[in-house]
């Protein structure tokens, strides 16, 4: 986008897709994995970062956040009850630290994905998606980006976030570059997007940015895009998108950037049913690389696919995040087989096949525009 135009992800790129060991996630059985939060589903995790991008550590424990909801009803209904949870990680051991915010603190009716950065003054800037409106009688799908900056409390073995910080809207779709995400009806996967704010500080100039999963107009519908926002005069200002999925996909979720060997790697997740036509590419982590934050971006591995679920388990994991050390984290989704779509199955059947917990970690090796996925040794 160095010439002012976003990179475009097109059918020409997807025609290069191939299921190879270099880009395929090892087969797992999601419902057999240990539940970190008994009685709750857990998904879409992210670390609390330091301003240099590393993961925050207190008392030898890493600090993380994730979405959670009671493990009741159909797993797809979890999105209507989602809350951000604070977690601590020591090696492979995870500890639940409770809901990050007080009940009713969010201006939305539920809390969707985001990112967090620990500040030198002892606070944590948490950027997240407010979905719906506080107090609404039934869930709607309006989305905006919220920032709250609570104190990080570490008292002996107790770790928590302060409960008196304001939650304020800092960014919403402008209706011009990005379609408004204000629908009253719909469901995840079938709505316009303005969510999943990913914080990034550009080492080239020290400026802060947010990447946001967004939607742009496309023929008679909409297509997925990755919006960029920068700080100007103390406020977040929308800029042209980094990437537009030119009619091939309508949902580029959880966008984030890491810098590795002087290249900027832009990653996002999308599901097989988000492609046009549906199922024409796998649920996976996709990526592009560029010499600077604003481009020009080229797809990794020719197609953009960095890692995908195996065809034998097309929905087994999702919502991956690549850390600066190239470790990849995600959550265990459905243990469905080819031809199944458990999003629409009877609730008991869907629950029996749903993981709702953290998936085994993976690791990438990266050589320029070529990547390979391997199980993580951690």
């Amino acid at each position: 986008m160095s010439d002012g135009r976003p990179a475009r992800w097109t059918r020409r790129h997807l025609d290069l897709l191939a299921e190879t060991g270099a880009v395929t996630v090892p087969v797992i059985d999601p419902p057999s994995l240990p539940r970190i939060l008994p009685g709750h589903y857990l998904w879409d995790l992210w670390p609390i970062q330091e301003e240099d991008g590393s993961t925050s550590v207190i008392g030898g424990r890493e600090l993380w956040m994730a979405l959670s909801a009671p493990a009741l009803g159909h797993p797809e209904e979890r999105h209507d009850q989602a809350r951000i949870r604070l977690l601590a990680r020591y090696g492979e051991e995870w500890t639940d630290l409770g809901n990050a915010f007080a009940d009713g603190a969010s201006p939305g009716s539920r809390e969707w994905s985001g990112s967090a950065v620990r500040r030198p003054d002892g606070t944590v800037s948490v950027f997240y998606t407010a979905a719906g409106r506080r107090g609404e009688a039934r869930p709607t799908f309006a989305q905006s980006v919220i920032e709250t900056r609570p104190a990080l409390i570490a008292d002996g073995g107790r770790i928590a976030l302060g409960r008196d910080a304001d939650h304020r809207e800092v960014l919403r779709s402008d209706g011009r570059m990005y379609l408004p995400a204000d629908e009253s009806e719909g469901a995840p996967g079938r709505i316009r997007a303005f969510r999943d704010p990913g914080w990034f500080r550009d080492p080239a100039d020290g400026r802060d940015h947010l990447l946001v999963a967004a939607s742009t107009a496309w023929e008679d519908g909409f297509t997925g895009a990755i919006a960029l926002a920068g700080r100007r005069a103390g406020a977040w200002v929308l800029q042209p998108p980094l990437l537009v999925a030119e009619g091939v996909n309508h949902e580029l979720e959880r966008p984030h950037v890491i810098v590795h060997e002087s290249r900027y790697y832009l990653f996002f997740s999308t599901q097989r049913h988000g492609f046009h036509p549906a199922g024409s590419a796998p649920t996976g982590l996709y990526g592009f690389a560029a010499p600077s934050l604003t481009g020009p971006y080229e797809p990794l591995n020719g197609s953009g696919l960095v890692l995908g679920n195996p065809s034998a388990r097309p929905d087994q994991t999702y919502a991956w995040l690549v850390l600066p050390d190239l470790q990849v984290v995600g959550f265990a989704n459905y243990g469905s087989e080819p031809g199944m779509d458990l999003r629409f199955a009877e609730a008991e059947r869907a629950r029996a096949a749903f993981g709702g917990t953290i998936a085994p970690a993976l690791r990438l090796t990266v050589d320029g525009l070529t990547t390979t996925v391997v199980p993580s040794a951690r």
Side-chain angles (χ1 to χ4, degrees):
M1 177 182 119
S2 56
D3 60 358
R5 293 178 296 178
R8 297 191 179 275
W9 193 30
T10 70
R11 178 55 53 190
R12 174 175 57 86
H13 300 129
L14 294 179
D15 285 344
L16 301 174
L17 278 168
E19 184 174 345
T20 68
V23 294
T24 303
V25 180
V27 172
I28 65 168
D29 181 33
S32 71
L33 294 175
R35 188 67 60 78
I36 290 169
L37 210 57
H40 283 74
Y41 295 135
L42 201 66
W43 72 103
D44 286 21
L45 64 157
W46 65 91
I48 296 179
Q49 301 169 271
E50 298 293 333
E51 291 187 332
D52 65 1
S54 62
T55 298
S56 293
V57 177
I58 289 184
R61 296 188 291 173
E62 296 179 352
L63 300 183
W64 287 73
M65 291 179 158
L67 299 187
S68 72
L72 302 171
H74 198 293
E76 293 303 292
E77 296 172 356
R78 71 189 190 277
H79 302 289
D80 295 339
Q81 305 173 66
R83 297 286 301 274
I84 295 174
R85 205 88 176 183
L86 188 62
L87 303 169
R89 179 187 188 184
Y90 182 78
E92 292 303 311
E93 180 183 342
W94 293 85
T95 303
D96 174 35
L97 302 178
N99 288 330
F101 312 132
D103 295 349
S106 169
S109 61
R110 56 257 200 240
E111 302 155 9
W112 286 356
S113 292
S115 56
V117 56
R118 185 181 177 190
R119 303 299 188 180
D121 65 359
T123 62
V124 176
S125 289
V126 184
F127 301 96
Y128 70 95
T129 310
R133 296 285 180 259
R134 182 190 298 163
E136 61 190 9
R138 59 181 179 81
T140 61
F141 296 91
Q143 300 155 57
S144 62
V145 173
I146 305 300
E147 180 182 7
T148 184
R149 194 163 168 172
L152 179 62
I153 301 167
D155 182 10
R158 175 175 175 261
I159 301 174
L161 296 178
R163 296 300 175 104
D164 57 353
D166 292 335
H167 291 239
R168 59 189 183 90
E169 181 181 85
V170 294
L171 204 59
R172 69 165 58 188
S173 48
D174 59 3
R176 300 187 301 276
M177 282 189 292
Y178 306 104
L179 294 176
D182 58 1
E183 293 150 299
S184 59
E185 304 287 341
R190 301 193 296 276
I191 53 173
R192 295 189 296 268
F194 199 80
R195 59 180 181 268
D196 303 351
W199 176 88
F200 175 71
R201 175 167 289 174
D202 189 348
D205 57 16
R207 294 183 178 178
D208 288 358
H209 300 270
L210 291 176
L211 285 75
V212 182
S215 300
T216 58
W218 180 261
E219 296 178 352
D220 59 351
F222 62 94
T223 197
I226 295 176
L228 181 68
R231 295 280 288 178
R232 187 180 304 162
W236 291 102
V237 178
L238 280 171
Q239 299 172 3
L242 293 181
L243 177 69
V244 174
E246 197 169 59
V248 300
N249 191 288
H250 66 251
E251 194 171 55
L252 311 185
E253 297 193 287
R254 305 199 71 203
H256 57 286
V257 168
I258 67 166
V259 177
H260 177 72
E261 294 183 350
S262 300
R263 274 192 173 97
Y264 291 68
Y265 288 87
L266 170 64
F267 296 103
F268 58 91
S269 294
T270 192
Q271 302 192 62
R272 58 189 174 113
H273 51 74
F275 286 95
H276 306 296
S280 57
T283 294
L285 174 75
Y286 291 81
F288 285 66
S292 72
L293 176 60
T294 54
Y297 280 96
E298 300 177 77
L300 297 174
N301 304 317
S303 65
L305 180 63
V306 175
L307 60 87
N309 283 328
S311 55
R313 290 287 185 271
D315 303 311
Q316 67 171 16
T317 45
Y318 191 56
W320 298 273
L321 192 75
V322 182
L323 302 179
D325 65 358
L326 302 182
Q327 184 185 189
V328 186
V329 294
F331 82 96
N333 197 17
Y334 289 110
S336 50
E337 298 177 357
M340 286 184 183
D341 192 341
L342 292 171
R343 295 176 302 152
F344 305 111
E346 183 266 335
E348 184 175 353
R349 181 185 178 199
R351 283 199 305 272
F354 187 66
T357 192
I358 297 172
L362 303 168
R363 188 172 296 277
L364 293 180
T365 61
V366 177
D367 182 9
L369 297 177
T370 302
T371 67
T372 300
V373 62
V374 295
S376 177
R378 180 173 178 174

